């Protein structure tokens, strides 16, 4: 393994690990706030219990997200010192703003978690809302940095490769910024909401849960709130995803060609579903091709010219196979999850209409097939997030900053990078296992609490 | 209008940015440092009140530890925003200790939260998570001190990371007696801070006395390390004559001595709040003594703030964002600490 590959792998592992916790840390506070708001509105202690459970989950995930984020901020320099030396001045501002958003989040999460009985109820909910807003903002600030790496602006490139006349404010307004920020924020809400909904849907299917009225009521509430956040986000993501692809087509035509497996420059390019790009033969085999689809989707014109990889010198091409497969995975998982989300929203609408009309409608809990579908597709959103990051990062190669700095020129001169790569991979695998195990036990603890325990454990505020 | 100067150096945006970084590091030492110290005392919990000691430490750290550790991220972000070449040099030459420090940070933070949220009996939780938490709390401050020591010694600035053997480039700059002494100093200082905070937090006088003894021991170690470290500094290091030159340096040295003495007296007379304040003063003197000794260098010997700074536009925006952020953060912090200050709550 070369040092460059080891460095890239370590960065990939760190990001792949962090992004799960970041996405959950962005969206779980929203669920938590909705639950607490409902508890206040309805006086229903079940929602309060739910808010407390989600707050505990948020605490675990936020902490792991915080430490893995700290690791990343160091790794930027430990692995890519030349990148940081050259672009620190351009991308430091959003990182600084992210630091503050994160700080605010940490402070108010402390108040939220430990302040149930110490601050007035309204201040408590307000603290939760601040956590949710600052979490979302910190995610957006980090994505702005990535957008700059994909479509850098706000500087002049000197002959020696350094950046001159850096304008940090303009650097935050990369042409990729809006698309990426929208796509990632929705992804966090959609993936988290649908994952949480899936877990509770599966628990609702258990015979033991159905026999226990209190536990069933708990999971029904959880499912409802999670769907409220996750399902609309997952459906809206189709629009945001289209906008993202159109932006990539405009600002990173080579990446578009790679993710679509488009080898020849042509008008009226087809959209490929599936397929296996063969880099040696320079063609994509076995794809289902929809005529004019790519030109239409990327440029709103069935006859638009799409640039192919054949026009790009081989050492300026990203790895096509990985990028294309990751893109297909992302779109496939997103579509699947969006379908289930639409089904669930339709079911919610039906039962609400029945209730309004005074008929005994079928609630979500009474639809075992929907519950099963929600359970099976629960991880789909996160698979899509991981695949999406592979698309954006691998699709940008061989550049670390598109057109400005090559990844190979940015890596540290430190040899033996395979050692820290192996070490951090081991550490993260271990941590992931522990987190899953702990969260399972949190859920099991809910399962084990007999009738009345939940309300006794979390009495409603008088 | 004459420009403001300090020690003959005109003060511009780069120097202000460096000062803000020292301030953030100071905050990290006082808040995050005390968290590490808490972990050390968790590891060294002994005697009949062992469980009570651990419970007090966990209770004191839990609501605020995440906020306390964001200071380190702030230091890192300020470093690569305001002094990008300095960040690159530090991260390259100090790759090994910084990576080990990161492992410590990850293990410590996760183990602490896992312990707090494990739905198990206290004994099982302690056996399962207590050791990694405590050991990481012990090792991480040493590594932090080693990296700062390597920086202060001037070794980081003198290395060309593209030339020489692996040992010359990536080990020799930090594996020095001076760096290790600064590592020990950092550990002792953090332990002192935590012990004085815990004397204030303890409701049981016997428990407070446990931490009084620990604070006195940590103070002895701190003073010893602070006295020995400059003697180990290489001749060309700015740390060599740390207290010798200039009125400001002498003032900081005198203040450090006064604070150190006040810590001992206050602990001896069980004036907990005074001891905590004096320990904070001692820590601040050490941070600012170091900062002033290498001023205006960010990476001694030759990497001055002005030479390594990002363009003025970046510095101005970063400092502006910092000012606005502080205006939001400070009241939030005050609110956080007021909500969780146990002694405001009466019986709490």
């Amino acid at each position: 393994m070369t040092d460059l590959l080891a460095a890239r792998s370590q960065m990939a592992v760190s990001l792949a690990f962090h992004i799960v916790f970041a996405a959950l840390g962005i969206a779980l506070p929203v669920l938590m706030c909705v639950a607490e708001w409902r508890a206040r509105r309805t006086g229903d202690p079940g929602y309060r219990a739910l808010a407390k459970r989600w707050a505990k989950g948020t605490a675990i995930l936020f902490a792991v997200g915080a430490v893995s984020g700290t690791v990343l901020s160091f790794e930027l320099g430990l692995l890519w010192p030349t990148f940081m030396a050259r672009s620190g001045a351009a991308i430091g501002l959003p990182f600084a703003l992210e630091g503050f958003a994160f700080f605010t989040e940490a402070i108010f999460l402390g108040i939220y978690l430990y302040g149930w009985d110490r601050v007035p109820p309204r201040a408590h909910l307000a603290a939760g809302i601040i956590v949710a807003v600052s979490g979302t903002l910190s995610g957006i600030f980090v994505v702005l940095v990535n957008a700059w790496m994909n479509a850098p602006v706000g500087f002049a490139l000197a002959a020696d490769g350094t950046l001159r006349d850096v304008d940090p404010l303009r650097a935050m307004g990369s042409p990729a910024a809006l698309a990426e920020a929208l796509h990632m924020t929705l992804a966090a809400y959609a993936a988290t909401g649908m994952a949480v909904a899936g877990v509770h849907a599966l628990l609702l299917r258990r015979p033991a849960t159905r026999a226990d009225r209190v536990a069933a009521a708990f999971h029904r509430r959880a499912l409802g709130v999670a769907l409220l956040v996750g399902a609309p986000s997952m459906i809206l993501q189709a629009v945001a995803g289209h906008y993202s692809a159109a932006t990539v087509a405009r600002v990173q035509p080579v990446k578009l060609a790679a993710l679509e497996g488009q080898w020849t420059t042509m008008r009226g390019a087809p959209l490929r579903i599936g397929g296996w790009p063969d880099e040696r033969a320079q063609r994509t085999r076995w794809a289902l091709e929809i005529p004019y689809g790519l030109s239409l989707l990327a440029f709103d014109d069935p006859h638009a010219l799409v640039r192919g990889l054949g026009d790009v010198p081989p050492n300026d091409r990203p790895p096509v196979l990985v990028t294309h497969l990751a893109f297909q995975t992302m779109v496939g998982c997103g579509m699947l999850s969006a379908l289930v989300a639409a089904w669930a929203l339709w079911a919610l609408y039906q039962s609400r209409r029945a209730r309004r009309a005074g008929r005994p409608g079928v609630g979500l809990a009474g639809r075992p097939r929907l519950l099963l579908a929600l359970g099976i597709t629960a991880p789909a959103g996160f698979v899509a997030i991981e695949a999406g990051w592979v698309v954006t990062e691998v699709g940008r190669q061989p550049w670390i900053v598109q057109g400005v700095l090559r990844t190979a020129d940015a890596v540290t001169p430190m040899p033996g990078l395979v050692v820290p790569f192996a070490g951090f991979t081991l550490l993260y695998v271990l941590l992931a296992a522990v987190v899953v195990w702990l969260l399972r036990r949190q859920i099991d603890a809910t399962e084990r609490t007999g009738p009345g325990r939940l309300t006794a454990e979390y009495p409603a505020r008088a | 209008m004459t420009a403001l100067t300090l020690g003959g150096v005109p003060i511009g945006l780069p120097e202000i940015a460096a000062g803000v970084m020292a301030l953030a590091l100071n905050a990290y030492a006082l808040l995050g440092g005390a968290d590490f110290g808490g972990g050390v005392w968790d590891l060294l919990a002994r005697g009949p009140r062992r469980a009570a000691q651990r419970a007090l430490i966990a209770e004191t750290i839990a609501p605020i530890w995440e906020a306390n550790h964001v200071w380190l991220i702030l230091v890192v972000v300020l470093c690569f925003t305001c002094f990008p070449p300095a960040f690159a040099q530090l991260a390259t030459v100090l790759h090994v200790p910084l990576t080990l420090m990161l492992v410590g940070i990850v293990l410590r933070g996760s183990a602490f939260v896992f312990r707090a949220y494990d739905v198990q009996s206290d004994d099982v939780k302690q056996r399962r998570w207590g050791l990694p938490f405590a050991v990481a709390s012990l090792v991480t401050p040493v590594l932090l001190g080693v990296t700062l020591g390597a920086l202060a010694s001037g070794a980081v600035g003198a290395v060309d990371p593209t030339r020489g053997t692996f040992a010359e480039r990536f080990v020799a700059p930090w594996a020095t007696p001076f760096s290790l002494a600064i590592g020990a100093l950092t550990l002792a200082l953090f332990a002192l801070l935590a012990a004085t905070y815990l004397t204030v937090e303890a409701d049981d006088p016997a428990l407070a006395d446990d931490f009084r003894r620990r604070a006195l021991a940590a103070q002895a170690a701190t003073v010893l390390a602070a006295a020995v470290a400059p003697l180990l500094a290489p001749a060309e290091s700015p740390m060599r004559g740390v207290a010798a030159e200039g009125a400001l340096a002498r003032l900081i040295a005198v203040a450090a001595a006064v604070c150190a003495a006040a810590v001992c007296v206050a602990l001896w007379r069980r004036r907990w709040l005074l001891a905590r304040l004096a320990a904070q003063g001692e820590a601040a003197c050490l941070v600012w003594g170091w900062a002033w000794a290498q001023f205006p260098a960010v990476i001694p010997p030759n990497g001055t703030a002005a030479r390594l700074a990002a363009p003025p536009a970046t510095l101005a925006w970063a400092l502006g964002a910092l000012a606005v952020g502080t205006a939001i953060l400070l009241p939030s912090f005050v609110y956080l600490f007021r909500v969780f200050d146990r002694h405001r709550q009466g019986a709490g």
Side-chain angles (χ1 to χ4, degrees):
Chain A
M1 191 177 223
T2 63
D3 279 320
L4 177 61
L5 185 60
R8 284 182 59 200
S9 307
Q10 185 179 334
M11 204 64 192
V13 167
S14 304
L15 268 170
F17 182 82
H18 178 70
I19 200 167
V20 173
F21 295 91
L24 286 163
I26 286 168
L28 216 47
V30 178
L31 301 190
M32 169 184 103
C33 288
V34 173
E36 189 182 348
W37 183 70
R38 283 205 170 163
R40 274 171 55 87
R41 280 275 309 256
T42 60
D44 179 345
Y47 280 116
R48 193 173 143 92
L50 193 56
K52 283 206 164 184
R53 280 271 180 243
W54 277 337
K56 281 193 177 182
T58 302
I60 297 174
L61 300 164
F62 181 84
V64 180
V67 291
S68 59
T70 309
V71 171
L72 275 170
S73 67
F74 275 93
E75 277 176 344
L76 287 172
L78 290 173
L79 300 173
W80 316 106
T82 310
F83 165 57
M84 291 315 284
R86 296 221 182 141
S87 22
I91 55 175
L93 186 58
F95 271 127
L97 293 173
E98 191 268 347
F100 276 106
F102 187 77
F103 231 137
T104 315
E105 192 181 357
I107 290 173
F108 285 94
L109 184 62
I111 292 171
Y112 191 91
L113 282 172
Y114 296 90
W116 283 96
D117 304 312
R118 293 196 179 198
V119 297
R122 193 175 295 180
H124 191 261
L125 181 57
I129 292 170
I130 295 174
V131 172
V133 170
S134 48
T136 301
L137 280 178
S138 58
I140 289 175
F141 286 132
V142 170
V143 168
L144 289 184
V145 175
N146 186 264
W148 184 85
M149 291 162 72
N150 281 321
V153 289
F155 61 91
L157 192 59
D160 61 352
T162 55
L163 312 186
R164 299 242 179 280
D165 307 326
V166 173
D167 180 345
L169 205 61
R170 270 206 62 208
M172 279 171 65
S174 157
L178 182 60
E180 279 201 39
L182 202 62
H183 200 42
M184 186 61 231
T185 306
L186 275 177
Y189 292 154
T192 304
M194 295 306 286
V196 172
V199 169
H200 290 283
L202 285 184
L203 289 169
L204 268 174
R205 279 175 58 91
R206 280 194 195 172
T209 310
R210 280 202 300 273
D212 180 346
R213 275 184 39 234
V214 175
F218 180 84
H219 293 307
R220 267 206 312 278
R221 290 184 181 94
L223 180 60
V225 175
L227 280 177
L228 192 72
V229 174
S233 308
M234 195 58 98
I235 293 166
L236 281 176
Q237 187 68 302
V239 182
H242 169 68
Y243 174 54
S244 265
T247 305
V248 169
R250 200 158 41 83
V251 302
Q252 291 180 287
V254 181
K255 183 189 272 185
L256 181 81
L259 57 88
E260 290 289 351
Q262 179 73 31
W263 292 95
T264 50
T265 299
M266 64 188 287
R267 291 194 175 278
L271 185 72
R272 290 180 187 78
I273 296 173
W276 191 268
D278 181 339
E279 306 201 15
R280 199 165 302 161
Q282 300 215 0
R283 52 178 293 207
T284 301
R285 296 175 206 276
W286 307 307
L288 176 66
E289 297 196 352
I290 300 170
Y292 304 106
L294 179 55
S295 288
L296 186 65
L297 275 179
F299 298 101
D300 297 324
D301 169 9
H303 299 289
L305 185 74
V306 175
R307 206 173 149 198
L309 288 161
D311 283 5
V312 182
N315 61 348
D316 283 354
R317 285 181 207 156
V320 183
L321 181 63
V322 175
T323 313
H324 180 70
L325 292 186
F327 182 68
Q328 299 290 322
T329 308
M330 176 186 78
V331 174
C333 285
M335 290 289 185
L336 187 68
S337 195
L339 281 179
V340 177
W343 181 7
L345 285 184
W346 177 81
L348 275 178
Y349 170 73
Q350 287 293 318
S351 70
R352 183 157 300 181
R353 226 177 56 161
R355 225 182 312 138
R356 286 248 169 88
R359 283 179 283 122
V362 184
L364 289 177
R367 296 175 184 271
R369 263 179 300 179
L370 174 58
L371 294 181
L372 186 63
L374 281 167
I376 291 172
T377 55
F382 280 97
V383 175
I385 285 183
E386 297 286 3
W389 274 92
V390 171
V391 172
T392 196
E393 294 300 282
V394 177
R396 194 188 54 240
Q397 300 306 319
W399 304 97
I400 190 165
V401 182
Q402 182 76 45
V404 172
L405 182 63
R406 281 173 190 272
T407 313
D409 297 332
V411 74
T412 177
M414 161 105 184
L417 290 177
V418 68
V419 177
F421 164 52
F424 273 102
T425 306
L426 199 70
L427 187 63
Y428 281 148
V429 168
L430 200 80
L431 277 187
V434 172
V435 169
V436 168
W437 179 74
L438 271 183
L439 289 181
R440 250 202 88 115
R441 290 169 60 98
Q442 288 280 342
I443 293 166
D444 286 350
T446 315
E447 279 293 273
R448 276 198 313 275
T449 44
R453 256 297 292 284
L454 280 172
T455 42
E457 196 180 341
Y458 304 116
R461 194 178 276 276
Chain B
M1 194 186 99
T2 52
L4 180 66
T5 62
L6 194 60
V9 180
I11 297 300
L13 285 176
E15 289 74 21
I16 294 173
V20 172
M21 277 174 66
L23 200 64
L25 208 61
N26 192 163
Y28 185 59
L30 293 186
L31 300 166
D35 273 7
F36 283 116
V40 172
W41 296 126
D42 184 295
L43 183 69
L44 299 179
R46 290 280 181 282
R49 286 171 298 277
R50 192 170 56 219
Q53 290 167 8
R54 287 201 168 119
L56 180 67
I57 292 165
E59 204 180 311
T60 311
I61 293 177
I64 46 179
W65 80 267
E66 275 138 347
N68 287 348
H69 288 270
V70 183
W71 290 106
L72 181 64
I73 301 185
L74 188 64
V75 173
V76 172
V77 168
L78 278 174
C79 185
F80 69 59
T81 306
C82 299
F83 305 101
F87 181 65
Q89 177 80 2
L90 277 168
T92 307
V93 176
L94 299 176
H95 190 113
V96 178
L98 283 175
T99 300
L100 292 174
M101 188 179 101
L102 284 182
V103 173
I105 288 175
V106 170
L107 281 180
R108 179 185 185 281
S110 355
F112 181 70
V113 178
F114 294 164
R115 184 172 69 173
Y117 289 98
D118 194 348
V119 273
Q120 264 292 355
S121 71
D122 285 349
D123 271 2
V124 178
K125 278 199 282 196
Q126 179 59 31
R127 247 182 294 138
R128 199 177 269 156
W129 309 119
L131 200 63
F133 165 68
V135 171
S137 296
L138 188 78
V139 176
T140 313
V142 175
L143 289 163
L144 177 68
V146 164
T147 58
L148 292 179
L151 172 66
S153 73
V156 174
V159 172
D160 176 358
T162 57
R163 261 185 232 133
T165 64
F166 181 84
E168 279 165 9
R169 292 183 292 166
F170 301 109
V171 179
W174 54 270
T176 61
F178 174 71
S179 287
L180 290 174
I182 297 295
L185 172 61
T186 309
L187 179 65
L189 182 68
F190 287 0
L192 168 68
L193 285 169
T196 59
Y197 293 8
L198 288 163
T199 56
V200 177
E201 296 290 331
D203 292 323
D204 173 8
L207 197 57
D209 267 357
D210 284 351
F211 287 112
R212 170 176 175 257
R213 277 195 305 280
R214 285 162 172 75
L216 284 167
Q219 172 70 335
T222 307
V223 170
L224 182 71
V228 170
L231 305 178
L232 299 172
E236 67 280 10
S237 158
M239 303 310 289
R240 191 70 189 194
V242 64
E245 286 168 45
L248 194 55
R250 254 174 256 134
L251 186 70
I252 295 174
V254 169
V258 169
C259 285
V263 169
C264 300
V265 173
L267 282 173
W268 195 254
R269 306 186 56 182
R270 295 191 168 75
R271 301 275 299 276
W272 307 137
L273 284 169
L274 183 64
R276 177 171 77 174
L277 190 69
Q280 288 170 330
E282 189 180 331
C285 287
L286 287 170
V287 171
W288 288 99
W290 157 61
W292 177 239
Q294 66 171 53
F295 179 84
V298 173
I299 296 194
N302 301 320
T304 59
R307 237 185 60 187
L308 297 174
T314 300
L315 295 182
W317 276 108
L319 292 175
L322 218 58
V324 174
T326 310
I328 299 170
L329 274 185
L330 265 184
S332 309
F333 248 112
V334 170
Y335 184 60
L336 178 74
F337 285 113
R338 279 174 76 111
V339 168
F340 295 107
D341 189 338
R342 288 146 44 87
H343 294 269
R344 276 175 187 284
Q345 317 267 331

